[in-house]
């Protein structure tokens, strides 16, 4: 799988290389802006993927490679799939690496654990899947400001829009809430609660409703509160709804007629999410996004009724742990050029532990498969069971003859593939996502309920949180943001500028995002950077019941493979490292500021402490 940047320099570099090697033959068209042929790209990336294979065998994978002319190549692997992203600007290295992670997240949202079907044999299905993910990747480039067309406007017409303010919280992988008065908040909450109750009358599977205004969460309501959405899933659910429905220019006069319109614009898709307390299990869901007005979206989430999915996922997880142990033994034998040696206290014992888990979940799956599946799926289930018996038979001979080891390795891998194939057949082959007619009644009810407040909400979303209230108390401050990583919520002043000032704001926020990513990847709790005439600072701290607490260990936390995960997934490990068993009681906060470069660093440190106190009180309210 290869993800392409829209930067013309990268395409130009590949295109010129193609021309020199004459890989296109006589029909080559000398157009440097054309997208490179996929076969040429595969030929170009082969050395990188070959080196990556060797590096993975040594548990030291590459993150990126800097080529001549400033071309940066980012590398990422998941589920035996190599993702390669290129960019013609080496300063975009962190963004290029993030693009690979976003691709993985989108692939798993669409396919769950069955990512081997990123290349289905059905060409029409493949074009549809790749086209959908490519559209999302292009929108991600637009939102994060790395697309060429993002910078093509003349300065005279270049201005900050709601898209740019949406970009801020997505850049830092956090969720922004819309700050409104308590009465309007109460009315919106009642409206969303009624919408979810109406949806449950259609189908009891509906479990969550979220009202979003220009990418910012207004209110949400859910049942089964114990099963909260993982922050990264919620972030991408908001992003998919944002990409798939009409946007809201701030200068449009909507009037009141739209609230009575029956022309409902909607988007529906099957996705696979992870619950916060069950990170390794994919839960099949149906995402329904309804456009109340351009920029205002009601999101309804329905969970799958069957319990087969978590059982398959847990079986895959256990078998994958077994296969990793097998692969370690095989890799060590290859490195030392000796025969495979099996420690009777390691692999056989590991298999016995896995066998107990897999047998348990297979027994639960047996009942569900008997009750819920078609004859075709029953046949696949029989294949899975036969292969599991084959794995168990090989395991019994591991201590006797090592010649069974490679057969054991092959059958374990085949069994994992069979389970992924079974998951795909059950949950990914049903393309019937026709929306229920009664959803239109929910749309009308919410639309009428927001008749008097919709225009205000759209304007408020554009100016959700302003810097002006802080300028008198914090002289020299240009921009700041605070993120509460416990629930991944962000407070950030809205941007507002035109012409050169707007372009300057874009570059400033981009630089702050790169600085932030470097701080997190390095495991730092604080730092600063001077860039041109600006001073960037970063501070991370912990709180317990509203009081600042210090880490319980002096050993610095350094994330393992930090560039292989979304930022919002790293902080859980950080808190666990610093606080151990007390981690569930501890909240994690981040503060990033931009000051005028002439401001003394001592003053910035002092004002950061006061700013932390002020903004934390805003979070509490």
């Amino acid at each position: 799988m290869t993800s392409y940047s829209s930067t013309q320099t990268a395409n130009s570099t590949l295109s010129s290389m193609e021309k020199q090697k004459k890989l296109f033959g006589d029909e080559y068209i000398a157009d440097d802006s054309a997208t490179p042929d996929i076969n040429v790209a595969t030929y170009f990336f082969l050395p990188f993927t070959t080196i990556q294979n060797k590096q993975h065998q040594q548990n030291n994978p590459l993150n990126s490679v800097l080529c001549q002319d400033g071309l940066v190549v980012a590398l990422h692997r998941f589920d035996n799939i190599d993702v390669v992203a290129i960019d013609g600007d080496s300063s975009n290295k962190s963004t290029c690496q993030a693009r690979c992670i976003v691709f993985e997240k989108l692939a798993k949202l669409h396919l769950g654990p069955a990512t081997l079907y990123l290349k289905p044999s059905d060409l029409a299905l493949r074009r549809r899947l790749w086209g959908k993910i490519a559209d999302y990747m292009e929108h991600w480039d637009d939102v994060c400001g790395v697309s060429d067309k993002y910078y093509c406007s003349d300065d005279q017409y270049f201005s900050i829009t709601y898209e740019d303010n949406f970009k801020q919280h997505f850049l830092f992988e956090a969720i922004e809430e819309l700050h409104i008065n308590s009465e309007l908040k109460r009315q919106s909450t009642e409206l969303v609660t009624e919408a979810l109750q109406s949806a449950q009358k259609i189908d009891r599977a509906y479990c969550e409703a979220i009202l979003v205004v220009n990418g910012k969460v207004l209110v949400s309501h859910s049942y089964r509160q114990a099963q909260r959405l993982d922050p990264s899933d919620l972030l991408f659910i908001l992003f998919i709804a944002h990409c798939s429905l009409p946007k809201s220019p701030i200068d449009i006069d909507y009037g009141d007629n739209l609230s009575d319109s029956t022309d409902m614009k909607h988007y529906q898709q099957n996705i696979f999410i992870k619950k916060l307390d069950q990170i390794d299990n994919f839960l099949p869901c149906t995402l329904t996004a309804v456009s109340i007005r351009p920029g205002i979206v009601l999101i309804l989430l329905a969970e799958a009724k069957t319990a087969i999915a978590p059982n398959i996922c847990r079986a895959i997880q256990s078998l994958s742990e077994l296969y990793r142990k097998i692969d370690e033994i095989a890799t060590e034998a290859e490195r030392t050029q000796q025969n495979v040696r099996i420690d009777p206290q390691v692999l056989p014992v590991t298999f016995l532990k896995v066998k107990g888990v897999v047998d348990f979940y297979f027994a639960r799956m047996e009942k569900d498969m008997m009750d819920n599946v078609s004859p075709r799926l029953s046949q696949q289930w029989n294949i899975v069971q036969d292969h599991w018996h084959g794995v168990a038979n090989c395991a019994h001979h591991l201590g006797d003859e090592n010649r069974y080891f490679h057969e054991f390795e092959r059958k374990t891998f085949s069994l994992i593939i069979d389970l992924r194939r079974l998951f795909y057949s059950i949950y990914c082959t049903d393309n019937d996502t026709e929306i229920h007619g009664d959803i239109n009644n929910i749309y009308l009810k919410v639309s009428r309920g927001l008749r008097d407040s919709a225009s205000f909400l759209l304007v408020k979303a554009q100016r959700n949180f302003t810097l002006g209230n802080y300028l008198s108390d914090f002289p020299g401050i240009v921009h700041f943001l605070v993120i509460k990583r416990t629930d991944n919520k962000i407070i950030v002043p809205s941007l507002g500028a035109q012409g050169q000032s707007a372009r300057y704001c874009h570059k400033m926020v981009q630089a702050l995002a790169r600085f932030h990513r470097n701080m997190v990847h390095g495991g730092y709790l604080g730092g600063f950077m001077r860039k041109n005439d600006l001073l960037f600072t970063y501070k991370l701290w912990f709180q317990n019941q509203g009081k600042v607490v210090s880490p319980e260990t002096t050993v610095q936390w350094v994330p393992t493979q930090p560039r292989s995960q979304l930022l919002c997934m790293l902080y859980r490990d950080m808190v666990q490292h610093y606080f151990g068993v007390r981690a569930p009681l501890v909240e994690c906060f981040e503060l990033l500021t931009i000051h005028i470069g002439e401001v003394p660093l001592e003053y910035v440190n002092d004002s950061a402490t006061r700013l932390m106190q002020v903004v934390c009180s805003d979070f509490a309210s």
Side-chain angles (χ1 to χ4, degrees):
M1 289 295 155
T2 306
S3 170
Y4 292 106
S5 163
S6 57
T7 309
Q8 291 183 353
T9 309
N11 286 348
S12 177
T13 302
L14 286 178
S15 297
S16 61
M17 183 186 70
E18 295 159 8
K19 186 174 182 181
Q20 292 171 5
K21 294 182 179 296
K22 299 181 180 179
L23 296 176
F24 278 112
D26 297 334
E27 298 181 356
Y28 175 77
I29 299 176
D31 181 7
D32 283 347
S33 64
T35 301
D37 182 86
I38 188 64
N39 294 320
V40 175
T42 302
Y43 175 85
F44 176 74
F45 291 123
L46 184 60
F48 298 110
T49 55
T50 302
I51 294 173
Q52 187 74 316
N53 287 333
K54 291 294 183 182
Q55 293 297 114
H56 269 280
Q57 291 176 1
Q58 300 174 13
N59 293 320
N60 187 28
L62 295 172
N63 291 314
S64 62
V65 178
L66 183 62
C67 303
Q68 61 181 358
D69 300 328
L71 183 71
V72 63
V73 180
L75 303 165
H76 178 57
R77 174 175 292 183
F78 69 96
D79 295 347
N80 291 319
I81 297 170
D82 282 319
V83 182
V84 183
I86 62 174
D87 201 301
D89 185 357
S90 59
S91 66
N92 285 337
K93 183 177 74 170
S94 61
T95 305
C96 201
Q97 292 167 336
R99 187 181 290 116
C100 294
I101 311 303
V102 170
F103 179 88
E104 177 188 358
K105 183 64 181 179
L106 289 170
K108 290 184 176 180
L109 270 176
H110 283 77
L111 297 170
T115 49
L116 73 160
Y117 283 97
L118 273 172
K119 192 177 180 180
S121 56
D122 187 333
L123 293 181
L125 181 61
R126 186 188 307 180
R127 280 194 297 268
R128 191 160 57 246
L129 175 62
W130 286 15
K132 184 181 293 185
I133 296 179
D135 286 343
Y136 289 142
M137 292 298 299
E138 184 176 356
H139 275 94
W140 186 86
D141 278 357
D142 289 343
V143 167
C144 291
V146 296
S147 173
D148 286 335
K149 63 183 181 180
Y150 189 78
Y151 293 106
C152 67
S153 300
D154 294 336
D155 288 339
Q156 180 181 357
Y157 304 105
F158 196 83
S159 62
I160 301 292
T161 65
Y162 87 95
E163 185 88 32
D164 309 310
N165 286 313
F166 174 79
K167 175 191 70 176
Q168 287 196 92
H169 68 259
F170 193 80
L171 263 177
F172 296 93
E173 297 178 16
I175 298 155
E176 186 174 5
E177 294 184 335
L178 193 61
H179 299 274
I180 55 176
N181 62 70
S182 57
E183 178 60 24
L184 185 53
K185 187 88 168 182
R186 182 190 62 79
Q187 294 176 4
S188 302
T189 302
E190 290 177 355
L191 198 60
V192 170
T193 302
E194 291 176 5
L196 184 55
Q197 291 172 348
S198 299
Q200 284 212 314
K201 292 177 181 178
I202 300 172
D203 190 339
R204 296 292 298 176
Y206 282 104
C207 60
E208 189 138 7
I210 309 169
L211 191 60
V212 183
V213 182
N214 282 349
K216 299 174 178 63
V217 175
L218 177 59
V219 291
S220 63
H221 182 72
S222 62
Y223 295 122
R224 307 168 194 169
Q225 294 289 345
Q227 296 185 0
R228 292 181 295 150
L229 279 174
D230 181 78
S232 64
D233 284 331
L234 178 56
L235 184 70
F236 275 82
I237 285 172
L238 297 177
F239 178 67
I240 289 174
H242 165 81
C243 296
S244 307
L245 292 170
K247 313 301 187 296
S248 168
I250 200 65
D251 56 350
I252 288 183
D253 181 12
Y254 297 97
D256 294 325
N257 293 330
L258 187 57
S259 60
D260 295 321
S261 172
T262 58
D263 184 18
M264 179 183 65
K265 295 180 175 62
H266 69 276
Y267 177 79
Q268 193 169 60
Q269 176 182 326
N270 293 329
I271 61 172
F272 301 93
I273 63 174
K274 299 180 180 180
K275 288 298 184 180
L276 192 60
D277 301 326
Q278 304 172 4
I279 296 302
D280 296 314
N281 297 324
F282 289 91
L283 178 65
C285 292
T286 299
L287 167 67
T288 303
V290 179
S291 177
I292 306 302
R293 291 191 175 190
I296 302 180
V297 177
L298 176 66
I299 297 173
L300 296 170
L301 208 60
E303 295 181 0
K305 299 176 181 178
T306 176
I308 298 177
N311 295 326
I312 294 178
C313 289
R314 291 183 177 117
I316 290 174
Q317 179 190 0
S318 298
L319 289 167
S320 297
E321 292 173 359
L322 173 64
Y323 186 77
R324 278 193 292 271
K325 182 64 68 176
I326 297 172
D327 189 55
E328 288 175 6
I329 296 173
T331 302
E332 180 64 19
E334 182 181 351
R335 186 184 66 81
T336 58
Q337 297 182 346
Q338 296 178 355
N339 292 330
V340 174
R341 294 183 178 181
I342 299 175
D343 186 342
Q345 299 301 318
V346 178
L347 190 58
V349 172
T350 301
F351 173 74
L352 288 177
K353 293 179 180 178
V354 170
K355 184 177 185 301
V357 175
V358 174
D359 282 341
F360 173 75
Y361 289 115
F362 272 26
R364 296 177 63 176
M365 289 165 59
E366 177 74 28
K367 181 179 183 303
D368 292 327
M369 296 294 291
M370 294 290 292
D371 295 340
N372 296 297
V373 303
S374 64
R376 179 178 60 85
L377 292 177
S378 296
Q379 184 179 6
Q380 283 189 258
W381 171 239
N382 292 333
I383 293 174
V384 168
Q385 289 180 305
D386 290 342
H387 283 181
W388 173 233
H389 294 319
V391 170
N393 290 334
C394 286
H396 290 313
H397 296 88
L398 284 178
D400 301 332
E401 298 183 52
N402 287 342
R403 66 185 180 87
Y404 285 97
F405 175 81
H406 293 294
E407 183 179 0
F408 180 61
E409 179 184 23
R410 179 181 57 80
K411 288 188 175 182
T412 302
F413 182 76
S414 297
L415 178 58
I416 295 172
I417 297 299
D418 289 337
L419 284 169
R420 295 181 188 275
R421 186 176 290 116
L422 179 64
F423 187 98
Y424 180 84
S425 298
I426 296 174
Y427 295 109
C428 303
T429 56
D430 183 10
N431 296 319
D432 182 18
T433 56
E434 183 179 354
I435 196 164
H436 197 284
D438 288 343
I439 293 292
N440 190 64
N441 296 330
I442 298 176
Y443 154 74
L444 290 173
K445 183 183 296 184
V446 176
S447 184
R448 289 165 183 157
L450 293 175
R451 182 199 303 268
D452 298 328
S453 57
S455 297
F456 166 78
L457 291 173
L458 290 166
V459 174
K460 176 61 178 174
Q462 183 73 359
R463 303 173 180 86
N464 186 36
F465 196 75
T466 60
L467 185 64
N469 298 333
Y470 295 86
L471 292 177
S472 58
D473 295 329
F474 303 95
I477 195 167
V478 177
H479 195 58
F480 76 89
L481 57 92
V482 178
I483 309 173
K484 183 181 178 183
R485 285 300 182 181
T486 310
D487 51 10
N488 218 39
K489 301 292 178 61
I490 187 173
I491 288 182
V492 55
S494 301
L495 299 172
Q498 290 184 346
Q500 287 284 4
S501 297
R503 192 179 296 276
Y504 185 78
C505 288
H506 282 293
K507 293 181 179 179
M508 178 183 69
V509 173
Q510 289 289 324
L512 184 63
R514 288 193 293 269
F515 170 65
H516 172 247
R517 195 172 288 272
N518 290 335
M519 289 289 102
V520 177
H521 286 170
Y524 300 109
L525 299 183
F528 72 94
M529 176 186 73
R530 294 190 183 274
K531 182 178 177 63
N532 299 328
D533 55 348
L534 296 174
L535 174 63
F536 296 79
T537 64
Y538 172 75
K539 185 175 181 61
L540 184 143
W541 75 99
F542 307 99
Q543 290 186 185
N544 186 354
Q545 296 181 348
K547 297 180 179 180
V548 176
V549 293
S550 300
E552 296 180 352
T553 176
T554 57
V555 179
Q556 182 182 0
W557 172 79
V558 179
T560 57
Q561 295 299 313
R563 290 173 175 81
S564 299
Q565 303 178 64
L566 290 165
L567 283 180
C568 55
M569 303 301 292
L570 295 173
Y571 299 93
R572 191 181 297 112
D573 294 336
M574 178 193 293
V575 177
Q576 184 66 41
H577 170 83
Y578 283 126
F579 295 94
V581 295
R582 292 179 56 210
L585 305 175
V586 177
E587 296 180 324
C588 178
F589 290 83
E590 288 180 302
L591 170 68
L592 290 108
T593 66
I594 304 177
H595 285 79
I596 297 172
E598 299 299 324
V599 176
L601 186 59
E602 295 77 9
Y603 169 79
V604 172
N605 287 332
D606 177 65
S607 63
T609 303
R610 291 187 293 116
L611 185 59
M612 285 164 42
Q613 297 172 350
V614 172
V615 179
C616 282
S617 66
D618 291 335
F619 264 118
S621 62

